[in-house]
Amino acid sequence: MVILRGFLVLVVFFLLGEAIRVLAGLPISGGVLGMVMATLTLMVRGRVSNELAAASQGLISVLVLLITPGVVGVFFIADQFSGHWTTVVVALVIGTLLSVFTTLLLMKKVAGSGEEGNSRG
Amino acid sequence: MVDQPEMFTALMSVWTAGPMLSIALTLGAFIAAQWLFTRLKRPLWMPPVMIAALMLAAVIALTGLGFDRYEQGARWLTILLGPATVALGVPLYQQVHHIRALWLPILVTLPVAASLAAAYALGIAWLMGATPEVLASLAPKSVTAPIAMGITEELGGSVSLTLGGLLITGVLASLFVDWCSKWLKITDDRIIGFALGLNGHAIGTARAFEISHTAGAFASLGMGLTGVFTALFLPLAFLLF
C-alpha cells in the first residue's frame, strides 16, 4: 500500500508533465517535465515522504530492466544504420574524450581559483 | 500425437498472444545478468545491461521469436520509464544541497560542459556526413537513459541507436575521466565525481560510487543536472538549426 501511494504520486506528476508538454507545445518529454515539477515541489516542501521515497527507489532500482528492451534493439537495427557505424563510433570516442577533458579543465580552473581566493584573500 | 514443429508453433502463438513471454524473458535476462556481472567481478567495460541485452538478442534470434513480437510484449515494461523518469527527481532533490558546497564551479561548468558533451559528438558526426536521424539519436549521448529516450523521441531519432550510443559513452567516460584526471593532476573527488556523472550518466555514476561516497553524490548531481539541462535546451536548440 505504501509503495502504491508513492507510485500514484509519480504517475500523477507524469500525467501533469504530459499535459504541460501538449498544452504548452514544448518539445520536452512528459517524464522530464514531471521530474522537474517533482523536484521543485520537494524543494518547496523541504522533505520527501516515505511513500514517495520507497516508490522512487523501487523504480530506480529496476531502471536497467526497463531500458533493456530498447538496448536489445541495437542488435536488430545494425542493417538500418550500416555505413553509419564508423561515424557513430568516431563521434562518440573523440567527442567523449574532448568533453571529459573540457569538463575537468573547467572545474579545475573555476574551483581552483575560488579556493585560492578564499585561502589567500 | 502432434508434430514437434507444429506444437512449437502452437505454443509460440499462445505465449505471444499476451506480453507475458517478453516479460519473462526480460526479467530472466535481467536477473541472470546481475548474477553474471557479480561473478565476473564487476567489469567496467561490460555493464549488466549489455550482458542482459546480448542474452536476449541471442534468444530472440535463435527461437525465431523476432524482435517485433518481443518488443510488443516488452512495451508493458518500457511504459514504466515515464514514472521512472519522474522518480529521478527524488535523488536529485536529495543531492541539491551539494550545490551549495561548489555552486560557482557547478554554475559555470554545467551549461558549458553539458552543451559541449552533445556538441563535440554532433559536430564530428555532422562533418562525417551523418543523416539527421543519426544526429538526433546521438545528441543525448551523455544523458541518463530514461531522459535520453524521451529526448530522442522528441527529436525524431532511433531510440535503439541512442541506447547503444549511451552504453559506449558511459564506458568511455569512465575510462577517460580516469586518464584525464591523472594527467591534469586532479585529486578532488567532488570534481572527478561531477565529471563522471555529467559525461557518463548512470554508468559513470556507478563508477564514481566505487571511488568514494562523495564522488558518487556529486556524480548523481552531475547526472541529474545534465539530464534536466539537456532535456530542456537540446530540443529547443534543435528547432533553431
Side-chain angles (χ1 to χ4, degrees):
Chain A
M1 261 319 270
V2 172
I3 283 198
L4 283 184
R5 249 180 278 158
F7 187 66
L8 178 62
V9 175
L10 292 175
V11 173
V12 168
F13 268 108
F14 174 72
L15 290 173
L16 285 175
E18 286 283 274
I20 290 181
R21 179 179 70 91
V22 174
L23 294 179
L26 291 171
I28 299 157
S29 78
V32 171
L33 292 172
M35 176 184 73
V36 172
M37 284 190 290
T39 312
L40 293 178
T41 310
L42 289 172
M43 286 169 79
V44 171
R45 287 191 64 199
R47 65 179 199 88
V48 187
S49 68
N50 290 338
E51 293 107 78
L52 188 57
S56 74
Q57 239 165 35
L59 268 180
I60 290 170
S61 67
V62 295
L63 262 182
V64 169
L65 175 75
L66 304 183
I67 63 167
T68 302
V71 180
V72 175
V74 180
F75 299 105
F76 296 92
I77 54 160
D79 297 340
Q80 197 188 330
F81 292 101
S82 64
H84 289 291
W85 289 106
T86 328
T87 309
V88 170
V89 171
V90 171
L92 289 179
V93 173
I94 301 178
T96 305
L97 182 60
L98 286 174
S99 82
V100 163
F101 184 79
T102 317
T103 312
L104 285 170
L105 196 68
L106 261 174
M107 286 291 276
K108 191 188 172 184
K109 286 254 185 278
V110 185
S113 65
E115 268 165 34
E116 262 175 26
N118 285 341
S119 55
R120 291 179 196 172
Chain B
M1 215 174 123
V2 201
D3 272 349
Q4 261 191 334
E6 254 179 63
M7 212 165 83
F8 184 73
T9 321
L11 208 57
M12 277 304 242
S13 69
V14 172
W15 279 354
T16 54
M20 283 306 161
L21 182 64
S22 297
I23 292 177
L25 288 175
T26 315
L27 273 172
F30 173 71
I31 292 165
Q34 299 287 346
W35 178 82
L36 206 63
F37 182 65
T38 340
R39 286 300 296 260
L40 293 172
K41 303 208 164 65
R42 310 178 164 272
L44 197 60
W45 48 272
M46 193 68 160
V49 58
M50 191 128 82
I51 306 175
L54 279 169
M55 287 194 285
L56 278 167
V59 170
I60 292 165
L62 293 177
T63 57
L65 173 62
F67 182 67
D68 289 338
R69 269 201 287 181
Y70 164 75
E71 199 202 15
Q72 239 171 24
R75 224 164 267 167
W76 288 71
L77 289 173
T78 46
I79 198 94
L80 285 173
L81 276 169
T85 310
V86 179
L88 292 174
V90 175
L92 182 60
Y93 159 74
Q94 285 162 339
Q95 300 304 334
V96 157
H97 66 275
H98 284 299
I99 293 180
R100 256 172 246 142
L102 270 182
W103 67 271
L104 185 64
I106 289 174
L107 201 70
V108 173
T109 312
L110 182 85
V112 181
S115 307
L116 285 176
Y120 281 136
L122 283 178
I124 296 166
W126 183 72
L127 286 175
M128 289 177 71
T131 60
E133 193 188 5
V134 171
L135 291 177
S137 314
L138 289 184
K141 75 176 193 55
S142 286
V143 177
T144 187
I147 301 181
M149 291 168 82
I151 297 177
T152 301
E153 274 166 10
E154 290 296 336
L155 299 182
S158 152
V159 169
S160 283
L161 186 57
T162 297
L163 288 170
L166 281 181
L167 269 182
I168 300 174
T169 305
V171 171
L172 287 174
S174 309
L175 292 173
F176 291 161
V177 167
D178 223 45
W179 297 349
C180 290
S181 60
K182 282 196 186 103
W183 196 64
L184 290 166
K185 296 193 180 63
I186 294 172
T187 47
D188 190 337
D189 276 3
R190 298 175 303 178
I191 295 181
I192 293 174
F194 195 74
L196 276 169
L198 193 152
N199 291 290
H201 53 93
I203 298 177
T205 303
R207 166 75 190 126
F209 272 107
E210 285 174 14
I211 298 174
S212 72
H213 189 75
T214 313
F218 275 86
S220 312
L221 183 68
M223 175 176 83
L225 293 177
T226 304
V228 174
F229 178 85
T230 313
L232 297 181
F233 289 100
L234 193 66
L236 298 173
F238 242 70
L239 283 181
L240 294 176
F241 286 106

